[in-house]
Amino acid sequence: MAYSCTDFVDDVLNDMVIRSWIKPEQYGPDDPQAQCDAVVAAIADADVSLRLAADAKQFNAELLDAVETLTGIAEQYGALALANVVYLQAAILKGGLIELTRDEAENFAFVRDLPSGGRWWQSVKLIE
């Protein structure tokens, strides 16, 4: 028996459901448009997640090139700066922000000196 387009669609949908990328409630079995919309939305979400993961990886690489070791950050700038590095990487990965007071930001300014420091600093929000 030949593998049909319907078999292909069913396999793709089933695999995406198993991976929790889509939910069966998003589409009906006889609704190709809804099936397509669910898959395209999942692909778009994956694309954003992959970009954010690549950004977090680049941040980590730039950071380690600049400081050599994470313990070096704690030794030079303090444990709070090291913690904020971890929080910043998580924020970059999630597309979010970390909040720093002005004093914390001054002690964390070494991030701005990284090759993409301006980009990473966009994930920092100053609070009073």
Side-chain angles (χ1 to χ4, degrees):
M1 184 165 126
Y3 191 72
S4 70
C5 289
T6 302
D7 294 333
F8 175 77
V9 169
D10 289 343
D11 285 349
V12 169
L13 292 171
N14 290 335
D15 187 68
M16 293 182 96
V17 168
I18 289 167
R19 295 171 190 265
S20 299
W21 294 350
I22 62 174
K23 295 181 173 80
E25 302 83 45
Q26 291 178 266
Y27 59 89
D30 297 320
D31 189 349
Q33 184 63 57
Q35 293 170 346
C36 178
D37 292 345
V39 169
V40 168
I43 291 169
D45 288 346
D47 185 51
V48 169
S49 295
L50 288 172
R51 182 182 50 79
L52 293 173
D55 288 350
K57 181 180 175 183
Q58 182 181 352
F59 169 73
N60 190 61
E62 289 181 13
L63 181 71
L64 291 178
D65 284 347
V67 299
E68 294 185 25
T69 67
L70 294 176
T71 55
I73 294 171
E75 291 168 0
Q76 188 169 354
Y77 301 101
L80 182 58
L82 177 58
N84 285 330
V85 162
V86 174
Y87 297 142
L88 180 58
Q89 186 174 17
I92 292 167
L93 184 59
K94 294 177 182 178
L97 300 169
I98 63 169
E99 295 181 341
L100 300 178
T101 65
R102 288 203 185 283
D103 290 341
E104 290 169 337
E106 285 177 20
N107 195 40
F108 199 58
F110 64 91
V111 169
R112 287 191 234 181
D113 296 331
L114 298 174
S116 303
R119 193 164 111 206
W120 311 134
W121 203 255
Q122 291 174 3
S123 297
V124 175
K125 178 181 176 185
L126 294 178
I127 58 173
E128 295 303 318

